[in-house]
Amino acid sequence: MARVAVVGAGSGGLAVAARLAALGHAVTVLDQAPEVGGKLGWYVRDGHGFDTGPSLVTLPQLYRDLFAATGGPLEDAVDLVRVDPAVAYRFADGTPLSVPGDAARIPAAVDAALGSGTGTQWAALMARAAAMWQVTEQPFLRSPLAGAATLARLARSAADVATVAPWRTLRGLGTAYLRDPRLRTLLDRYATYSGSDPRRAPAVLATVPYVEQAFGSWYVRGGLRRLAEAVAQRAVERGAVVRTGTAVERVLVEGGRAAGVRLAGGEVLRADVVVSGADAAALYADLLPASRATRGVRRDLARSTASLSGFVLLLALRGRTPGLAHHTVLFPEDYDAEFDAVFGIGRHRGAPQPVADPTVYVSAPDDPATRPDADSESWFVLVNAPRHDPDGGVDWDAPGLADRYATRVLDVMARRGLDVRNRLRWCVVRTPADLERDTRSVGGSIYGTSSNGARAAFLRPANASPVPGLFLVGGSAHPGGGLPLVALSAEIVAGLVGPA
Ligand SMILES: Cc1cc2nc3c(=O)[nH]c(=O)nc-3n(C[C@H](O)[C@H](O)[C@H](O)COP(=O)(O)OP(=O)(O)OC[C@H]3O[C@@H](n4cnc5c(N)ncnc54)[C@H](O)[C@@H]3O)c2cc1C
């Protein structure tokens, strides 16, 4: 039995704690925040409740695996509901497209909304994405990153390489398969699920809409937050100790090996294994003493582009909106302008900015647990935003900026047909700077490093660090961000540590 210290009680830290405790290790989880969950957060006021981070679960099988491996079915712990329709899109020309929650019905819905033949084009793209999924799931997503060995696993056959087309971007793939520009916009949006730019992210990200459509979009009744609580409870049931309000100041390294952690206030917790669920950039910059062993990782991190962040409005509304879908996306006229502004490229070269005319995502669960009465709604509104970077980019703490931008987002929504300005009880604004303060993700980047560039997936920090005994879990490490991949990272780390 090893003594394991887990830094961070986000989705990654909690999942690995549950798995390692179930394997018989003595696990202590430490989080600087007052509550568990990290980005999977919850805000409640006057009976209005909001998930402040994730609003969509995909690949629930990965959470089923986690619960099965740690003592009992997921469905006993949370109430998963399949969302149908999955998303109601509105394109810049006003065309609506409601994407069914069942993959078999999607081509017909696309045809009906965008014209005959478009559904077939989408189905052909999804067939290619299914093949990409087959090729990459086991050797890449479910396996530790291991440099040349990973590349060799991925390049087993020329046919597999041609399927994944590592030289191609997501935008390039969309252009090859989809003739309707609205459908290409829809595909582009999936680059943002890993905080990336579709013009630079790899084509293999087409697997993101594939898994969403093939395995469904899911909601957790009572809020996704319940998933974090359920994993934390599972970890505790298996014997893990969870300490909130406890910041880790340093990962201790002795004789070249991880030896424990030092907490703010000086307490030292000795451990045989340390698993960091904190942002990988923060781990390598602040928590770990700089050494020759970690120089390569720090160089890779410096070469990577940080993922985008998000600007969030939590809207407490009077009244109900007839026909409102669970998830709504309102697209702008110029999607490329959004990525230029967020990443400070193209026309915004060197100067990232809040997006002037952003894509707006609204999540409005029809769930009594989220509202004070039947005549109210609680909306989570998210737009892509540049990370918080007072030194060279956007200073989200600049006086007045957050409120001015919130007003702009509400105006954009009104122009695109969702005007809630006269139904507003109150609005809470959460900027990338708030996300950084709450979760210590550097700049409030949602997914650590982005997938921009063909090599990005290989520059992402590996789960086994160069320091023996120190492992990385969570969205800023391999295989990437989002709840399903974070669950996979926990499975990989538990496999690397092994049973007691
Ligand atoms: C607005 C938003 C919307 C999103 N939407 C979705 C979605 O719809 N679907 C989806 O699948 N994913 C979504 N995501 C992404 C998803 O939330 C993340 O990928 C996932 O929750 C990351 O989990 P994590 O454990 O890696 O990191 P975190 O949740 O960031 O956890 C890290 C934890 O470490 C703690 N910590 C950091 N440093 C220290 C320290 N020094 N000492 C102690 N504790 C420390 C932090 O307090 C935090 O609790 C969204 C994220 C955001 C922000």
Side-chain angles (χ1 to χ4, degrees):
M1 177 180 77
R3 296 164 302 168
V4 181
V6 177
V7 185
S11 321
L14 291 172
V16 83
R19 280 185 176 275
L20 290 175
L23 287 172
H25 298 292
V27 180
T28 306
V29 189
L30 308 145
D31 202 297
Q32 52 87 29
E35 313 265 0
V36 300
K39 295 189 182 83
L40 190 46
W42 178 251
Y43 181 87
V44 63
R45 183 169 132 198
D46 305 334
H48 286 276
F50 307 82
D51 280 310
T52 59
S55 52
L56 166 70
V57 179
T58 52
L59 282 171
Q61 184 56 42
L62 298 176
Y63 280 86
R64 291 198 184 97
D65 293 347
L66 168 66
F67 276 76
T70 55
L74 171 68
E75 273 75 6
D76 285 359
V78 294
D79 191 2
L80 271 180
V81 190
R82 193 162 180 155
V83 181
D84 193 3
V87 196
Y89 292 101
R90 182 186 181 279
F91 296 97
D93 65 359
T95 307
L97 165 60
S98 181
V99 175
D102 163 18
R105 289 187 282 127
I106 293 175
V110 172
D111 262 350
L114 305 183
S116 173
T118 51
T120 311
Q121 289 164 31
W122 183 258
L125 176 69
M126 288 301 97
R128 170 71 177 274
M132 289 173 158
W133 178 250
Q134 291 284 330
V135 172
T136 52
E137 186 196 0
Q138 189 58 47
F140 183 70
L141 293 176
R142 285 185 179 270
S143 307
L145 203 55
T150 300
L151 278 173
R153 275 200 308 263
L154 277 170
R156 273 174 316 189
S157 80
D160 286 356
V161 175
T163 298
V164 173
W167 52 87
R168 210 168 212 185
T169 63
L170 186 66
R171 171 69 60 84
L173 188 75
T175 307
Y177 277 80
L178 309 170
R179 280 195 289 283
D180 191 298
R182 294 165 297 188
L183 216 40
R184 294 201 293 268
T185 297
L186 192 152
L187 176 67
D188 277 354
R189 178 171 168 267
Y190 285 96
T192 67
Y193 279 40
S194 66
S196 311
D197 177 342
R199 299 166 301 179
R200 293 189 288 160
V204 72
L205 288 189
T207 51
V208 180
Y210 165 70
V211 298
E212 182 174 306
Q213 298 187 350
F215 308 114
S217 299
W218 300 81
Y219 173 68
V220 179
R221 215 183 290 281
L224 266 66
R225 160 81 185 169
R226 296 230 167 134
L227 191 57
E229 289 165 357
V231 181
Q233 191 185 332
R234 180 56 58 88
V236 170
E237 283 165 7
R238 298 280 78 81
V241 174
V242 179
R243 291 173 61 180
T244 51
T246 308
V248 171
E249 214 171 58
R250 205 75 169 152
V251 173
L252 303 174
V253 179
E254 287 171 11
R257 269 196 69 84
V261 293
R262 190 176 70 231
L263 309 180
E267 184 187 342
V268 167
L269 206 73
R270 301 202 67 79
D272 311 301
V273 170
V274 176
V275 183
S276 173
D279 189 286
L283 168 74
Y284 281 105
D286 306 327
L287 298 185
L288 203 58
S291 69
R292 280 179 60 185
T294 59
R295 195 189 293 157
V297 186
R298 285 183 279 126
R299 188 197 51 219
D300 287 349
L301 278 166
R303 280 187 192 159
S304 308
T305 309
S307 79
L308 51 70
S309 186
F311 182 87
V312 170
L313 303 180
L314 307 178
L315 306 181
L317 301 178
R318 275 184 294 276
R320 300 291 288 275
T321 316
L324 182 70
H326 190 127
H327 301 130
T328 303
V329 174
L330 309 170
F331 281 118
E333 227 153 78
D334 186 353
Y335 207 7
D336 283 356
E338 176 157 336
F339 297 106
D340 286 351
V342 164
F343 290 106
I345 53 177
R347 66 203 95 168
H348 294 290
R349 195 178 174 79
Q353 288 179 17
V355 185
D357 190 31
T359 304
V360 179
Y361 167 79
V362 178
S363 178
D366 183 4
D367 179 349
T370 64
R371 56 183 180 240
D373 53 52
D375 195 32
S376 299
E377 285 172 345
S378 304
W379 288 17
F380 165 89
V381 177
L382 172 68
V383 304
N384 293 327
R387 58 206 284 276
H388 176 55
D389 180 11
D391 295 330
V394 177
D395 178 0
W396 282 105
D397 286 335
L401 174 61
D403 287 340
R404 276 199 309 279
Y405 195 57
T407 304
R408 177 183 280 265
V409 172
L410 288 170
D411 291 346
V412 166
M413 288 167 63
R415 273 208 312 277
R416 299 192 196 145
L418 276 187
D419 190 353
V420 291
R421 291 172 297 189
N422 60 2
R423 293 173 46 199
L424 208 51
R425 287 199 175 105
W426 44 260
C427 164
V428 167
V429 179
R430 291 175 49 81
T431 70
D434 295 320
L435 189 61
E436 179 176 63
R437 276 187 283 273
D438 289 351
T439 66
R440 298 201 183 178
S441 65
V442 179
S445 288
I446 294 184
Y447 304 98
T449 54
S450 73
S451 304
N452 291 348
R455 294 181 60 233
F458 300 96
L459 294 178
R460 198 171 264 284
N463 305 109
S465 85
V467 178
L470 172 64
F471 299 89
L472 279 77
V473 73
S476 54
H478 176 74
L483 298 174
L485 296 193
V486 166
L488 275 183
S489 75
E491 191 178 333
I492 293 172
V493 170
L496 290 168
V497 173

